[in-house]
Amino acid sequence: MSKNRSSIGDYDFPLFVFHEGSNCEAFNFFGAHKGVKDGKEGVYFRVWAPNAKSVSLVGDFNNWDRRKNPMYRLDDPTVWEIFLEGVEQYFTYKYSVETSHMSIVDKADPYGAHMELRPNTATKYFDIDNYEWHDKKWYEYKKKTNIYKSPMNIYEAHLGSWRQYEDGSPFDYVKFAHEMSDYLKDMGYTHLELMPLAEYPYDGSWGYQVIGYYAPTSRYGTPEQFMQMIDIFHQNGIGVILDWVPAHFPKDAAGLFEFDGDCCYEYSDPLKKEHAAWGTRVFDYGKGEVRSFLISNAVYWIEKFHVDGLRVDAVASMLYLDYDRREWRPNKNGGHENLEAIEFLQKLNTTVFSRNPDVLMIAEESTAWPMVTKPADVGGLGFNFKWNMGWMNDTLSYMRTDPIYRAGDHGKLTFSFFYAFSENFVLPISHDEVVHGKASLYGKMSSGTMEGKFASQRAFASYMIAHPGKKLNFMGNELAQVIEWNYEKELDWMLLGFETHRKMNDFYRDLNNLYKNTPAFWHDDDSWDGFKWICADDYTQSVISFRRIDNSDPEKTSEIIVVCNFVPVKRSDYRIGVPYEGTYEQIFSTDDIKYGGSGEVDNGKIKAKEYSMHGCDYSISLTIPGLSAMFFKYVPPKTRRKKSGEKIDVTETANVKETASPKKKTAKKPAAKTAAAKAAAAKKPAAKTAAAEKTANTSAEAAPKKRGRRPKTDKSAE
């Protein structure tokens, strides 16, 4: 009824774009908002309920009597409104909806900013526009930072079980922010990823079954305290990523489930509307109103709460009509792709980046869907990062394998490099990998001894840091948590009282800070320019070696040589090819005694010999501890200035383990063609395998030619 319309503005445009699916600020129209009507101050309540026969506002203020405060249809008959005076902060309410089936359902406000503490489910009025932010410097830093050319090491955490008080109660948002920001800075992490914090009723869902998409969970405080938490992280230089769940929602009575008595937010098609295994409903991405609801929600968290990015959960379940379904209906082209979901994701990312170009939109996508991180206007989904689930599954399977049999699984260690630059990847070891009987990361390490398990985890973590792609580790991995994660209890911090676990924590701290301060590990994560194989095929000894290269300064070579040994056998006189003349200095070893290793091996500084190997003119000989990873930094030859009258350059090579006879040469020739090299060839170095003799190693030049589309992984990884 038009006489009940408010005077705060024209409704036509926001409702037009809402129905069209283009309203990315629907939260400014729907929900509860301050306003003035007939000269009186109050709050407008608006809700979309297209199939309702009637809607009333109910709460403590009217004894939950739906007869007292009926809402009125706007000129648009799908939207209901009421203006109420005397509404104060924490005013509790629900929408009482009369359905077309003659039943009454009480629903929380889909756009409500605050909710009651579980098990109660009513919405609380909360004005979120009064917080004064103090993170201007952080936004200035983000604006000038190219995230693709920057370190990104993410610590994934569940807020309620990271740390707790002695009585088992969790920290609130502010306490958590202070404690966690100090820890992250000390441990060398750049970003924090929080498991979902939109309001959810069941603790055991970890936040992945949401009923209040616009309300930070009241478990840990108010929306204002949530803002303060983000602000504290930003002031400490920590980016915050929030897990976001647009794939499905639960069947809780107060939530979006059959909101107006019929399928409102979910599909009505029985073959599309449910994820039976999860017991949840699927959003209808074909409805403009649902698209507006979800896109606005993404914008809301980023712009209202200053979240730096969203990790979008269960993307594969959105993309495939046959995902975890025995029966499914093909799309109009006869395929199994959900065309509506694809269009939604493209529109979501296009909208978010057009408004906030420096945010992170990260897809948890577990299949080989192409172009996930390519722009929507060229056919991509429009994300800027994707979790590399294939790498995670392959490498964890490899580490579970007894070292005796790893030679047969060597491909699981190297296959990811065939597609490593097809997308912008994050390498995740997430919460899903340390629950439900999968064992903790420490528990996954196959070894006959406790020392071997610790050594294996250190080698794996170093391989992960050196592998192209951004990084993500779930909380507790850095403690070598023995048991699986339990969302009801805090991490086993008491493990730090044991020397072996304390040394593991020290190891992660040093490894993370080395990563953060070494551009070769992250400057060219997204192309072959930053990576070159040295030897990928020494499967008989389970050793790999490669180069990570920093091309930020074309006039200065900066790179790290990485050597990993995944069996408990020390390799002596293990020779690998290196690209340049000069010295290679060992800067990091997982076998260091301070990390719990043997400390028996220190290669120090090694001068490269003119001995061709692995496609390189030079090579170095190493001793490699069992179950270890080592990093070597290239140090160019130093040429001192000529003195007056001096005609030659003197190259300083002090403090090296090997020396080579000076050679006069006008051009570099492959050493194998010289008589000396022929004699040396009779002494085959340990690293020279039969496969290497035939292939001369899978070099970086050959690898791009071998790249092919990556096969699908198990979609149940979602």
Side-chain angles (χ1 to χ4, degrees):
M1 300 180 182
S2 59
K3 68 177 182 178
N4 292 298
R5 287 177 54 162
S6 70
S7 59
I8 64 171
D10 186 3
Y11 289 4
D12 294 338
F13 179 73
L15 284 174
F16 174 79
V17 292
F18 172 70
H19 293 305
E20 184 186 54
S22 301
N23 189 337
C24 57
E25 296 183 0
F27 50 83
N28 285 330
F29 184 83
F30 291 98
H33 299 281
K34 288 181 178 178
V36 177
K37 185 175 183 180
D38 299 330
K40 297 179 180 179
E41 294 184 351
V43 171
Y44 286 95
F45 297 85
R46 301 189 194 93
V47 63
W48 177 62
N51 302 302
K53 290 189 64 177
S54 69
V55 183
S56 295
L57 192 72
V58 296
D60 291 335
F61 68 98
N62 64 6
N63 293 318
W64 301 89
D65 187 343
R66 73 181 317 272
R67 297 170 299 178
K68 293 184 178 180
N69 295 94
M71 301 177 75
Y72 299 91
R73 279 193 175 102
L74 303 181
D75 287 345
D76 181 333
T78 67
V79 179
W80 303 76
E81 178 186 270
I82 190 173
F83 179 82
L84 204 65
E85 298 177 50
V87 175
E88 298 180 351
Q89 201 89 311
Y90 305 112
F91 173 92
T92 303
Y93 69 97
K94 280 187 176 181
Y95 297 119
S96 179
V97 180
E98 181 186 5
T99 75
S100 60
H101 309 292
M102 307 302 292
S103 62
I104 304 295
V105 292
D106 289 346
K107 295 289 187 178
D109 190 341
Y111 291 86
H114 191 30
M115 291 186 70
E116 289 184 303
L117 182 64
R118 66 188 185 326
N120 298 324
T121 56
T123 303
K124 291 186 174 184
Y125 172 73
F126 197 97
D127 186 353
I128 64 171
D129 294 322
N130 294 323
Y131 182 77
E132 183 178 349
W133 290 91
H134 303 89
D135 58 355
K136 183 179 179 181
K137 287 184 179 180
W138 171 255
Y139 273 85
E140 291 173 350
Y141 165 78
K142 279 209 308 180
K143 188 174 182 180
K144 63 184 181 182
T145 299
N146 180 350
I147 193 62
Y148 307 103
K149 300 291 185 181
S150 302
M152 191 162 86
N153 193 7
I154 306 166
Y155 188 76
E156 186 190 18
H158 177 261
L159 195 155
S161 59
W162 179 67
R163 291 288 299 271
Q164 296 176 350
Y165 291 106
E166 290 185 5
D167 64 357
S169 59
F171 290 172
D172 62 25
Y173 288 122
V174 177
K175 171 71 171 174
F176 173 79
H178 285 300
E179 296 284 334
M180 179 64 89
S181 59
D182 288 343
Y183 184 72
L184 295 178
K185 286 192 297 182
D186 176 56
M187 291 298 295
Y189 291 98
T190 63
H191 292 73
L192 171 67
E193 181 174 316
L194 293 168
M195 293 168 70
L197 290 173
E199 192 60 81
Y200 57 102
Y202 175 48
D203 290 354
S205 78
W206 313 331
Y208 291 97
Q209 295 193 8
V210 182
I211 62 170
Y213 273 81
Y214 286 78
T217 179
S218 55
R219 286 168 174 78
Y220 314 118
T222 67
E224 185 173 292
Q225 289 173 313
F226 184 98
M227 292 175 171
Q228 190 176 351
M229 174 185 72
I230 304 297
D231 208 353
I232 291 168
F233 283 123
H234 286 175
Q235 291 173 51
N236 282 278
I238 302 295
V240 182
I241 302 163
L242 185 64
D243 276 14
W244 186 59
V245 192
H248 61 125
F249 56 88
K251 297 180 182 179
D252 292 70
L256 301 179
F257 170 71
E258 297 182 2
F259 187 81
D260 56 9
D262 291 283
C263 292
C264 186
Y265 285 87
E266 63 265 70
Y267 281 112
S268 57
D269 185 339
L271 297 185
K272 294 172 71 175
K273 71 180 181 180
E274 289 211 29
H275 281 309
W278 300 344
T280 56
R281 286 289 172 90
V282 180
F283 282 104
D284 185 346
Y285 306 107
K287 287 182 181 176
E289 299 86 354
V290 173
R291 293 198 301 272
S292 289
F293 173 82
L294 289 172
I295 293 172
S296 295
N297 189 239
V299 170
Y300 176 82
W301 289 109
I302 292 167
E303 296 185 4
K304 292 289 188 179
F305 288 92
H306 289 206
V307 168
D308 298 291
L310 300 175
R311 175 267 197 185
V312 182
D313 181 64
V315 170
S317 75
M318 301 167 65
L319 293 172
Y320 298 97
L321 295 168
D322 59 342
Y323 184 91
D324 200 26
R325 293 184 176 95
R326 293 182 179 179
E327 294 183 76
W328 57 281
R329 195 183 315 282
N331 62 33
K332 64 181 181 180
N333 301 320
H336 66 160
E337 302 84 4
N338 187 332
L339 303 179
E340 296 160 347
I342 296 167
E343 182 182 353
F344 160 71
L345 290 170
Q346 291 173 327
K347 190 163 190 174
L348 164 73
N349 289 315
T350 299
T351 301
V352 167
F353 284 120
S354 68
R355 297 169 65 100
N356 303 275
D358 54 4
V359 300
L360 301 167
M361 293 296 288
I362 305 170
E364 187 213 14
E365 203 286 306
S366 59
T367 75
W369 189 277
M371 301 176 67
V372 173
T373 60
K374 300 299 185 289
D377 58 5
V378 298
L381 293 183
F383 292 93
N384 56 355
F385 286 98
K386 170 185 172 174
W387 274 19
N388 193 337
M389 310 288 278
W391 169 87
M392 178 191 71
N393 291 332
D394 286 347
T395 54
L396 290 182
S397 174
Y398 179 85
M399 296 309 295
R400 288 190 193 99
T401 302
D402 190 301
I404 295 174
Y405 305 109
R406 283 180 181 169
D409 275 351
H410 194 73
K412 292 181 179 179
L413 199 62
T414 59
F415 180 68
S416 58
F417 291 95
F418 285 108
Y419 60 86
F421 309 111
S422 61
E423 304 276 7
N424 299 321
F425 282 119
V426 174
L427 309 183
I429 302 298
S430 73
H431 64 273
D432 279 328
E433 301 313 306
V434 295
V435 290
H436 300 323
K438 295 180 182 179
S440 66
L441 181 61
Y442 168 84
K444 295 178 193 294
M445 301 295 113
S446 177
S447 178
T449 66
M450 183 183 74
E451 292 80 5
K453 293 175 78 68
F454 278 101
S456 292
Q457 183 173 341
R458 293 193 300 269
F460 170 76
S462 301
Y463 159 77
M464 175 181 175
I465 280 289
H467 191 294
K470 309 307 181 186
K471 325 297 175 188
L472 178 142
N473 255 303
F474 185 60
M475 64 181 196
N477 290 345
E478 78 281 10
L479 306 178
Q481 180 104 358
V482 177
I483 61 173
E484 291 185 342
W485 167 58
N486 182 346
Y487 72 91
E488 295 180 309
K489 299 179 180 179
E490 72 170 9
L491 296 181
D492 290 335
W493 294 100
M494 54 81 179
L495 290 173
L496 294 181
F498 297 91
E499 184 181 21
T500 50
H501 293 271
R502 186 171 63 254
K503 286 184 174 182
M504 180 66 81
N505 194 240
D506 293 340
F507 162 78
Y508 270 93
R509 180 187 297 106
D510 288 355
L511 181 65
N512 290 342
N513 281 292
L514 177 63
Y515 164 78
K516 189 166 65 172
N517 296 317
T518 308
F521 284 138
W522 43 258
H523 185 270
D524 291 288
D525 258 341
D526 54 354
S527 78
W528 285 101
D529 293 339
F531 175 87
K532 295 286 187 296
W533 273 117
I534 294 175
C535 183
D537 57 1
D538 188 7
Y539 64 92
T540 60
Q541 300 187 85
S542 298
V543 176
I544 59 172
S545 53
F546 54 86
R547 301 157 55 193
R548 291 306 314 274
I549 307 164
D550 170 22
N551 291 297
S552 57
D553 185 351
E555 297 183 359
K556 182 179 179 182
T557 301
S558 176
E559 67 175 80
I560 300 293
I561 302 295
V562 179
V563 183
C564 302
N565 179 8
F566 288 101
V567 292
V569 179
K570 184 169 75 172
R571 307 297 183 188
S572 300
D573 192 24
Y574 189 99
R575 186 168 291 276
I576 62 171
V578 291
Y580 310 114
E581 180 184 12
T583 300
Y584 293 81
E585 179 182 2
Q586 179 180 308
I587 61 170
F588 188 82
S589 172
T590 63
D591 193 52
D592 196 308
I593 195 169
K594 67 180 178 180
Y595 304 135
S598 70
E600 295 177 354
V601 175
D602 182 2
N603 289 281
K605 296 180 180 179
I606 310 168
K607 187 178 185 299
K609 283 188 174 182
E610 191 182 4
Y611 183 103
S612 64
M613 198 167 195
H614 299 137
C616 300
D617 289 338
Y618 298 90
S619 61
I620 57 176
S621 177
L622 308 172
T623 299
I624 314 172
L627 294 174
S628 73
M630 296 186 297
F631 301 157
F632 297 86
K633 182 179 181 180
Y634 170 63
V635 182
K638 294 181 179 179
T639 303
R640 66 176 176 83
R641 291 183 179 181
K642 297 178 183 178
K643 295 180 180 179
S644 177
E646 192 174 18
K647 296 182 179 180
I648 60 171
D649 290 338
V650 179
T651 302
E652 299 177 6
T653 56
N655 299 319
V656 298
K657 294 185 71 175
E658 295 181 6
T659 58
S661 301
K663 296 179 181 288
K664 293 182 180 180
K665 57 190 180 76
T666 57
K668 295 180 181 178
K669 295 181 179 180
K673 294 182 180 180
T674 67
K678 290 179 180 179
K683 300 177 181 179
K684 292 189 178 182
K688 199 76 170 181
T689 65
E693 291 284 350
K694 293 180 180 180
T695 64
N697 183 41
T698 306
S699 66
E701 289 76 11
K705 297 177 183 178
K706 295 182 181 180
R707 288 169 63 193
R709 181 172 175 179
R710 174 182 158 226
K712 289 187 179 181
T713 62
D714 182 7
K715 287 188 276 188
S716 66
E718 291 284 356

